[in-house]
Amino acid sequence: MSKGLPKRSDDYSAWYNELVKKADLAENSAVRGCMVIKPYGFSIWEKMQAELDRMFKETGHTNAYFPLFIPKSYLSREADHVEGFAKECAVVTHYRLKNSADGDGVVVDPDAKLEEELIVRPTSETVIWSTYKNWIQSYRDLPLLINQWANVVRWEMRTRLFLRTAEFLWQEGHTAHATKQEAWDESVQMMHVYAEFAESFMGVPVIRGIKSESERFAGAEETFCIEALMQDGKALQAGTSHFLGQNFAKAFDVKFADKEGKLDLVWGTSWGVSTRLMGALIMAHSDDEGLVLPPKLAPIQVVIVPIYRKEEERIAVSEKANELVKQLRAVGLSVKFDDRDTHKPGWKFAEYEMKGVPVRLAMGPKDLEKGTVEVARRDTKEKSFVPADDALTQYVLDLLDDIQKNIYDRALKHREELTTPVDTYDEFKRILDEKTGFVLAHWDGTAETEEKIKQETKATIRCIPMDAPEEEGVCIYSGKPSTKRVIFARAY
RNA sequence: CGGGAUGUAGCGCAGCCCGGUAGCGCGCUUCGUUCGGGACGAAGAGGCCGCAGGUUCGAAUCCUGUCAUCCCGACCA
């Protein structure tokens, strides 16, 4: 591993790209736009998955799996939906290869053309609703609360590791309900689940809100979202939850008999978060020395680095270190004792800082003498010497809690500093250019105004916050009356 | 699909104008000294110079074509 990252202040985007590679999270693959998620990066994703999965199950959902391929005709059943995705779909046209005539490799066998092309899923509403049609007959079959963990493909022109890749991993929840209210409540609930996850586990504060019509999911009647602000002042959509109304039920003819025996269309929702969360996690907390991970998602929470010169010292230090490992693991902490003799302590310090390990314990001969250990926290880089006794476990547990809280507080403070209400279009443009961040402004509610602003400033409406107070005002662009402020920002 | 650039060792690059032994840094291997913040010395290994044609006694270098990648624009979780 070569040393050093570009500085965030010099080139934020280069910093991000290098960090992802140097922290061993992911790299570009042979296939354009697709990434290889490396073991360390995948461990973080697995931690996210485990917690989200637990939250989904706690709210009554169960996992299932639907196919990767979608018959082309399904996609066109819902007009808005196909409109939204058609431009970025990978299409399977053939099912066989054969040896090429010149004996040099293989070619697509033209005789093996599919009668109906298959689309690699960009999302699964269509296959799932075509299946739900068979599963739902009666109100007794509802609600149907299903989630799937899967990969999806959206053929993006420009990609960035984790933030936008042609293939990505996600979960997609798809639920069906007897009443509009129940489906609506479900989609709101899942937005809150996502927000809770982002804030409590990722340590990323988010705004809960509703998307404007033009930012809404194709095929949804309402899209709820959580929006986060990155260190560079750009917004990142971290999760979405859609109230689908009866749109997909209509398209796939999914009806149920209610208690009176009357047939009615079911109400639906869908909701998802993706490996993009990894991007949010990286950009929210990390610094010029590398990744900063929240303890609750760190694959390694505590690393122990031994320091020694002579073999006797190595043995003595290792013995004590192994005791600490046992002691810390006994309370469920994920601990790594890095006893590799091939790297020096200083090298290891730099490496674990790059990888964002929240707590580092360093122990050498001097510590053995004094009965101490050097404790370094990744978030503030503070170091202290602490007695290496039974009380160390509680000390580390408290420290991890403190780190979790501190990085959240820091991110929240940053967002608050970069959230600016404005009342004129000139001020709006000035803030976007000079200060960046979330800009709170009155908007007349029309797609035309939103589009004009987007074209002129590259800022989009991130969301209409759920808790936006009613406030009389005029649209910064058109001057028409408005009742609440919405959040504008330049976004990833 | 428009505009710009780049393909040379695992990675990052120089060499190309002006054709003549393929080089530097990092990493890698071995040995020794080191080890409390990315150690130092010595000795090594590693290349169809993106690919295909052409010019030439001779091409990484000049010409033609081609492929790929990256950056900037339109689209997006």
Side-chain angles (χ1 to χ4, degrees):
Chain A
M1 187 177 296
S2 59
K3 39 181 120 170
L5 283 175
K7 290 202 183 315
R8 283 169 295 175
S9 52
D10 290 346
D11 188 344
Y12 193 81
S13 150
W15 167 83
Y16 175 84
N17 293 335
E18 281 301 302
L19 175 53
V20 169
K21 287 176 200 154
K22 291 210 165 107
D24 247 356
L25 302 176
E27 62 189 34
N28 284 304
S29 71
V31 184
R32 184 190 144 76
C34 295
M35 64 179 161
V36 175
I37 304 176
K38 299 183 74 176
Y40 190 65
F42 202 78
S43 300
I44 299 172
W45 174 241
E46 283 179 319
K47 288 223 152 196
M48 291 182 168
Q49 277 186 299
E51 184 52 36
L52 285 164
D53 203 62
R54 191 190 63 72
M55 294 171 102
F56 297 157
K57 286 176 179 154
E58 210 165 65
T59 44
H61 305 86
T62 46
N63 288 332
Y65 187 79
F66 294 84
L68 171 66
F69 301 117
I70 301 176
K72 191 179 71 178
S73 57
Y74 281 26
L75 227 55
S76 43
R77 298 275 279 273
E78 214 284 335
D80 291 334
H81 188 64
V82 68
E83 171 86 11
F85 286 106
K87 280 171 288 185
E88 49 190 32
C89 286
V91 184
V92 180
T93 56
H94 292 75
Y95 59 87
R96 196 191 311 148
L97 299 174
K98 62 176 188 180
N99 291 320
S100 69
D102 58 12
D104 191 22
V106 289
V107 293
V108 173
D109 185 343
D111 295 334
K113 194 162 163 40
L114 289 169
E115 273 188 32
E116 179 178 4
E117 289 97 341
L118 296 171
I119 311 304
V120 181
R121 62 180 164 219
T123 178
S124 302
E125 274 77 4
T126 56
V127 236
I128 288 180
W129 281 90
S130 74
T131 308
Y132 281 3
K133 175 181 168 58
N134 301 323
W135 291 0
I136 298 168
Q137 275 104 42
S138 148
Y139 71 92
R140 293 192 180 89
D141 299 322
L142 297 172
L144 190 51
L145 305 172
I146 289 179
N147 176 64
Q148 85 164 340
W149 290 95
N151 59 337
V152 286
V153 168
R154 296 180 190 172
W155 212 261
E156 298 291 348
M157 278 300 147
R158 305 192 50 195
T159 60
R160 288 189 76 191
L161 292 171
F162 290 120
L163 295 174
R164 175 166 299 109
T165 46
E167 179 193 14
F168 55 95
L169 305 184
W170 78 346
Q171 59 62 219
E172 44 181 325
H174 296 273
T175 69
H177 306 262
T179 65
K180 177 177 183 178
Q181 186 62 44
E182 198 183 303
W184 179 270
D185 290 347
E186 163 80 5
S187 49
V188 171
Q189 171 186 245
M190 296 322 287
M191 171 194 68
H192 288 304
V193 165
Y194 288 153
E196 168 65 18
F197 173 75
E199 298 188 335
S200 298
F201 286 81
M202 297 172 64
V204 176
V206 293
I207 304 278
R208 302 161 203 225
I210 299 173
K211 284 292 183 190
S212 67
E213 193 184 336
S214 53
E215 297 278 326
R216 186 185 297 158
F217 172 71
E221 299 211 332
E222 198 78 272
T223 290
F224 301 93
C225 64
I226 57 172
E227 289 286 325
L229 187 66
M230 302 294 102
Q231 292 179 28
D232 63 346
K234 285 172 81 173
L236 183 79
Q237 177 175 304
T240 49
S241 179
H242 315 291
F243 169 67
L244 301 175
Q246 294 174 310
N247 290 346
F248 286 89
K250 231 175 273 168
F252 290 88
D253 192 34
V254 186
K255 290 180 181 150
F256 74 105
D258 66 16
K259 285 181 187 167
E260 283 80 46
K262 205 157 59 32
L263 278 184
D264 200 3
L265 290 166
V266 307
W267 299 82
T269 81
S270 66
W271 28 274
V273 294
S274 71
T275 35
R276 181 177 238 207
L277 288 179
M278 293 285 293
L281 186 68
I282 296 160
M283 287 198 290
H285 308 306
S286 304
D287 61 25
D288 290 348
E289 271 68 51
L291 208 54
V292 173
L293 290 176
K296 286 185 182 173
L297 295 178
I300 301 168
Q301 292 169 307
V302 180
V303 65
I304 303 179
V305 177
I307 293 155
Y308 53 83
R309 294 179 207 211
K310 296 179 286 245
E311 180 63 9
E312 310 90 82
E313 288 175 348
R314 191 185 67 77
I315 292 168
V317 168
S318 296
E319 195 181 330
K320 181 65 186 169
N322 277 313
E323 275 175 36
L324 294 183
V325 169
K326 205 179 285 176
Q327 181 182 331
L328 294 168
R329 281 189 185 151
V331 295
L333 291 174
S334 146
V335 185
K336 174 172 176 171
F337 173 40
D338 187 352
D339 60 352
R340 288 178 298 174
D341 197 28
T342 49
H343 296 282
K344 293 181 31 173
W347 191 94
K348 292 176 185 174
F349 292 172
E351 156 139 314
Y352 293 110
E353 270 162 20
M354 187 64 81
K355 290 191 159 191
V357 175
V359 171
R360 181 188 74 222
L361 305 182
M363 199 166 52
K366 290 179 212 161
D367 293 297
L368 288 188
E369 265 173 48
K370 291 183 286 182
T372 58
V373 62
E374 184 199 67
V375 181
R377 56 187 290 177
R378 178 63 185 88
D379 59 339
T380 61
K381 305 268 257 319
E382 285 163 340
K383 289 189 249 188
S384 48
F385 287 91
V386 174
D389 54 19
D390 291 348
L392 179 70
T393 302
Q394 195 54 49
Y395 182 89
V396 170
L397 286 170
D398 292 343
L399 181 58
L400 289 168
D401 282 347
D402 193 55
I403 293 171
Q404 182 80 33
K405 181 173 183 307
N406 181 50
I407 62 176
Y408 174 82
D409 290 346
R410 229 161 49 174
L412 181 61
K413 183 159 172 274
H414 176 257
R415 188 188 78 191
E416 281 168 355
E417 281 166 6
L418 281 189
T419 300
T420 316
V422 305
D423 292 313
T424 67
Y425 194 47
D426 281 343
E427 200 185 353
F428 178 85
K429 288 187 281 193
R430 190 174 57 78
I431 294 291
L432 276 176
D433 287 337
E434 291 169 17
K435 186 177 170 189
T436 75
F438 285 152
V439 185
L440 306 180
H442 280 283
W443 164 59
D444 63 18
T446 68
E448 296 74 49
T449 298
E450 185 181 1
E451 181 59 24
K452 284 264 171 54
I453 293 176
K454 181 179 173 181
Q455 276 171 13
E456 290 172 24
T457 66
K458 289 180 182 155
T460 49
I461 296 177
R462 301 321 304 156
C463 70
I464 302 147
M466 303 294 280
D467 57 5
E470 291 286 321
E471 177 192 308
E472 291 305 314
V474 294
C475 173
I476 51 162
Y477 193 84
S478 66
K480 289 179 194 156
S482 147
T483 58
K484 58 172 89 161
R485 291 174 186 272
V486 301
I487 297 185
F488 283 89
R490 296 201 175 118
Y492 276 99

